Amino acid sequence: MIETHQNVSCNGYNDGSLSFSITGGIPSYSITGSIDTTVSLLDTISINNIYASNQTFTITDQNSCNYTDSIIISEPAPLFGLTTLYDYNGVNISCKGQSDGRIGLDTILGGNAPYDYYWFDSNGDTLSNLIRIDSLSVGSYSLTINDNLGCPTF
């Protein structure tokens, strides 16, 4: 068997694929396992839209000779960031009415490097694409991380 495969691009996606060609043995072939089919010639079998998994196949030829193989389709770890909300003795700004709050992105895990990141305020306005945002007043802020393949942040 000659095989090629494409791993899943983003965690949880089903865009993996595999294909294999049967060589040797006596046609026709019965294929059981992750796909059940019968092929009469030395065809190439293709499977698309696969989630990360272990794809196991048994190919049986006309003489009942068996060949079993497994193809592992993998995926990257979920993409997420670890942040730090800096504080002043337990509060997020130094004094009422001040704009001296800070939030920092400490670590990005998973996904496919390199990454882009964007901080937003509660109105959805982009504040920064830096690791840390400063001069924040009381409010809600969000972070979006994009990896090299456009995988979503969890």
Side-chain angles (χ1 to χ4, degrees):
M1 183 170 87
I2 301 169
E3 112 7 70
T4 61
H5 72 276
Q6 179 66 45
N7 290 323
V8 174
S9 63
C10 299
N11 187 276
Y13 280 30
N14 69 330
D15 59 353
S17 63
L18 64 88
S19 64
F20 58 89
S21 298
I22 301 169
T23 58
I26 307 295
S28 74
Y29 305 95
S30 171
I31 304 169
T32 57
S34 298
I35 185 174
D36 293 319
T37 191
T38 300
V39 293
S40 57
L41 301 173
L42 299 178
D43 291 337
T44 297
I45 309 299
S46 296
I47 305 170
N48 298 309
N49 304 317
I50 302 174
Y51 288 97
S53 57
N54 184 6
Q55 301 287 317
T56 301
F57 302 90
T58 298
I59 302 168
T60 305
D61 75 359
Q62 193 67 28
N63 288 340
S64 296
C65 296
N66 293 319
Y67 173 78
T68 300
D69 198 2
S70 293
I71 301 168
I72 297 172
I73 306 295
S74 63
E75 67 185 341
L79 174 63
F80 67 97
L82 301 174
T83 59
T84 297
L85 181 60
Y86 299 92
D87 68 44
Y88 298 93
N89 297 319
V91 294
N92 304 128
I93 57 173
S94 61
C95 297
K96 184 176 180 174
Q98 295 297 309
S99 295
D100 56 4
R102 298 178 291 160
I103 306 172
L105 174 60
D106 297 325
T107 306
I108 300 173
L109 301 170
N112 305 282
Y115 308 100
D116 293 320
Y117 31 86
Y118 302 93
W119 294 97
F120 298 92
D121 65 15
S122 59
N123 296 321
D125 295 327
T126 303
L127 299 176
S128 175
N129 65 346
L130 301 175
I131 291 283
R132 188 176 88 179
I133 54 174
D134 299 308
S135 304
L136 300 176
S137 58
V138 172
S140 297
Y141 301 91
S142 62
L143 170 66
T144 297
I145 302 170
N146 299 314
D147 77 355
N148 189 42
L149 298 177
C151 297
T153 308
F154 288 95

